[in-house]
Amino acid sequence: MNHNTPLSPRPLSHLSAVQRRVMSVAQLRAHGVPPARIASQCLPGGPWQLLLPGVYVLHPGPPTSEERLHGALLYAGRPPVPGQGGRGGRGGAQGRPGAARNPAANPYGEAMITGLAALALRRFSTAPPLLSLDRIDVLVPRTRRLRSTGCARLVRAHALPRPEEITGLPVAPVHRALADAVAQLADAHAVRGLLTEAVRDGHCEPAAVVKELTRARLLARPHVVDAVDLLLAEGRAAAEDRLYEVVRAYALPEPVWNVDLRLPGGGPHLGGVDAYWPELAVAVELDTRASRRDADALWSQYARKREQLERLGITVVHLTPKKLRDYPEQQATVVRTALMAAADQDPAAYVVVLPR
């Protein structure tokens, strides 16, 4: 807070450093600063400056990236003027009326950072630095009657995801932030880099990303489709690595990896599996389907393969990349249980195992 501007004795200890440097008009009034005083502080050469409508930076000079983030959230989450907007007027305070009446309790309402700014906060190497972003995307309810202005670009959603807190700021989940970023990008290389990094570095699973891209109707764009194909390849490779780690970390018997199964004597091809224990006739298949138009067809293919193998006495265990990542010990137990159960069953039909 600028020392030339006396405020009320109301304590500021609950505010972070950036929250003391950037305040909304409602917060300033709550601290006893009258409108005339606010206006005089923002005159040319004055110690304050208007960052966004109703949001002030309480120092001269360019705002930092942290201040711009905080200011964009204050602008998007500010309570509406009483009597304006009907349903839309409730905006960022829907479901939380206390947030609108008490900006100190929740100055951001339901607003959250999304898009490239959210990815930069998560330290994506393929996202531009925060200082280089002209606009900061802020996710708000679709009924919010505010316009994008200055450094704040509003992105409206029918249903808001649960935000995650990063450096004290509400930030959209990775899959939602990715979709909002991709929606603004025409550069195929940039899109490919963001999606690949998200999966390669374990920020989220491919299925969640593809589902969000589908919801946003972005899969009609050729450069996005191409990037998704690479994303799925990265996701499968990551899932295979996790499966290797689970087998070895939890001392499971070593299988043969990535093999095709056939009936003997030039019989029909039964399909490929990710891991197979020939002595016990147990197969593991990674379910790496994503929410795309071909997802149902892929599931039908999986189901037919599983039915055919089980008719031959082969146990098929389906594992998902997400469960392998989040619950490796549980998934190891699932596989171990299948192996133990198979040891007590009648021998399966003989099949030919080939590398793929």
Side-chain angles (χ1 to χ4, degrees):
M1 195 68 59
N2 187 279
H3 67 275
N4 294 323
T5 307
L7 298 180
S8 70
R10 180 175 173 178
L12 301 178
S13 57
H14 65 290
L15 299 176
S16 67
V18 70
Q19 288 173 331
R20 299 180 196 187
R21 300 194 304 269
V22 183
M23 283 193 172
S24 68
V25 65
Q27 290 173 318
L28 289 168
R29 288 177 179 176
H31 283 286
V33 184
R37 183 66 172 164
I38 296 173
S40 68
Q41 292 292 105
C42 292
L43 291 173
W48 293 0
Q49 55 186 308
L50 183 67
L51 176 64
L52 289 161
V55 179
Y56 299 88
V57 177
L58 308 188
H59 66 75
T64 65
S65 57
E66 186 182 24
E67 290 166 351
R68 292 169 74 237
L69 289 167
H70 179 58
L73 284 168
L74 283 179
Y75 170 72
R78 67 183 183 178
V81 177
Q84 289 185 3
R87 275 188 66 200
R90 290 195 297 270
Q94 285 185 15
R96 291 202 291 266
R101 289 193 295 268
N102 184 6
N106 180 14
Y108 306 138
E110 290 181 294
M112 64 189 81
I113 301 296
T114 190
L116 288 172
L119 301 177
L121 279 169
R122 287 186 167 85
R123 302 185 183 280
F124 269 60
S125 63
T126 49
L130 284 169
L131 276 175
S132 71
L133 296 176
D134 295 328
R135 293 285 191 103
I136 294 167
D137 291 331
V138 186
L139 194 60
V140 296
R142 67 175 180 83
T143 51
R144 199 72 171 97
R145 293 187 180 178
L146 279 176
R147 294 181 178 179
S148 299
T149 186
C151 65
R153 176 166 50 206
L154 303 191
V155 179
R156 304 179 193 282
H158 288 276
L160 293 176
R162 183 181 296 276
E164 301 164 1
E165 187 173 299
I166 300 177
T167 67
L169 300 174
V171 179
V174 172
H175 57 275
R176 175 66 206 228
L178 279 168
D180 290 332
V182 168
Q184 304 294 333
L185 294 172
D187 184 340
H189 179 75
V191 170
R192 187 165 56 247
L194 290 171
L195 297 186
T196 301
E197 182 176 358
V199 173
R200 184 188 61 228
D201 292 358
H203 292 285
C204 59
E205 295 298 328
V209 178
V210 176
K211 181 178 180 180
E212 200 64 45
L213 293 174
T214 303
R215 181 205 59 76
R217 299 179 180 177
L218 293 170
L219 291 182
R221 303 181 183 183
H223 69 283
V224 177
V225 173
D226 291 343
V228 164
D229 290 340
L230 287 174
L231 167 83
L232 296 177
E234 283 279 344
R236 167 158 278 281
E240 289 174 348
D241 287 344
R242 289 180 197 139
L243 180 57
Y244 297 152
E245 291 170 7
V246 164
V247 166
R248 285 152 191 171
Y250 295 97
L252 294 173
E254 188 76 12
V256 289
W257 299 101
N258 293 317
V259 294
D260 277 323
L261 304 180
R262 282 185 180 276
L263 287 176
H269 178 237
L270 300 173
V273 294
D274 295 286
Y276 188 59
W277 288 263
E279 300 83 1
L280 298 170
V282 173
V284 166
E285 186 161 28
L286 294 170
D287 183 357
T288 55
R289 290 172 301 140
S291 301
R292 297 177 63 180
R293 295 176 187 173
D294 58 354
D296 290 341
L298 281 174
W299 177 246
S300 297
Q301 180 182 332
Y302 282 160
R304 286 195 302 271
K305 183 199 300 183
R306 179 172 188 161
E307 182 180 350
Q308 189 175 20
L309 292 175
E310 290 185 342
R311 279 203 306 266
L312 296 170
I314 297 172
T315 302
V316 182
V317 179
H318 275 277
L319 302 179
T320 67
K322 179 174 174 56
K323 287 184 178 180
L324 277 173
R325 182 189 69 185
D326 296 342
Y327 310 106
E329 185 174 4
Q330 180 193 77
Q331 300 308 290
T333 300
V334 168
V335 175
R336 182 176 286 109
T337 300
L339 294 171
M340 293 172 64
D344 297 329
Q345 295 175 357
D346 294 334
Y350 176 74
V351 296
V352 179
V353 181
L354 300 170
R356 63 170 177 173

